[in-house]
Amino acid sequence: GSKDGEWFFYNKTGKIKGQETYKDGKLNGKFINYDEMGKIQREGIFKKGKLDGEVNIYNEKGEIKAILKYIDGALVYWLKAKSFWNRNS
């Protein structure tokens, strides 16, 4: 059978590595990738197997360092955090 629903992936030490949502065997819904320490590195949405919408990229402090915008699997723009936030980091 094909993958359906939420799937979780773990590294060799048992820490979460990823979370993906499938429908009829294709990525469809929220995904999250984690670093070796279990902190979120990247999260976004798939629709029918293609990235669609914003993908947030995080730094080691858990702050957004970039936002990528996809439409039907194509990257249409990306922003670095400093270009839309006036923060001292």
Side-chain angles (χ1 to χ4, degrees):
S2 59
K3 289 181 181 178
D4 220 8
E6 280 190 299
W7 285 65
F8 298 88
F9 304 91
Y10 298 89
N11 64 22
K12 292 178 184 178
T13 63
K15 289 195 186 259
I16 191 155
K17 187 167 99 174
Q19 175 182 344
E20 298 172 345
T21 307
Y22 289 84
K23 183 172 183 177
D24 300 324
K26 289 186 177 183
L27 285 163
N28 195 69
K30 188 172 185 172
F31 79 90
I32 304 173
N33 297 127
Y34 300 88
D35 67 14
E36 333 52 71
M37 302 303 295
K39 293 182 182 176
I40 296 176
Q41 278 187 319
R42 187 169 78 127
E43 66 180 339
I45 303 236
F46 276 93
K47 288 185 182 171
K48 298 180 182 176
K50 297 179 181 180
L51 284 168
D52 198 75
E54 290 183 351
V55 174
N56 295 327
I57 311 293
Y58 296 90
N59 65 20
E60 58 281 344
K61 296 178 185 176
E63 301 166 327
I64 294 175
K65 70 177 184 179
I67 295 177
L68 289 68
K69 173 73 174 180
Y70 289 86
I71 296 176
D72 198 28
L75 179 64
V76 292
Y77 73 82
W78 63 275
L79 299 169
K80 287 187 178 179
K82 292 184 189 239
S83 66
F84 60 93
W85 260 322
N86 184 12
R87 297 179 62 148
N88 297 326
S89 41

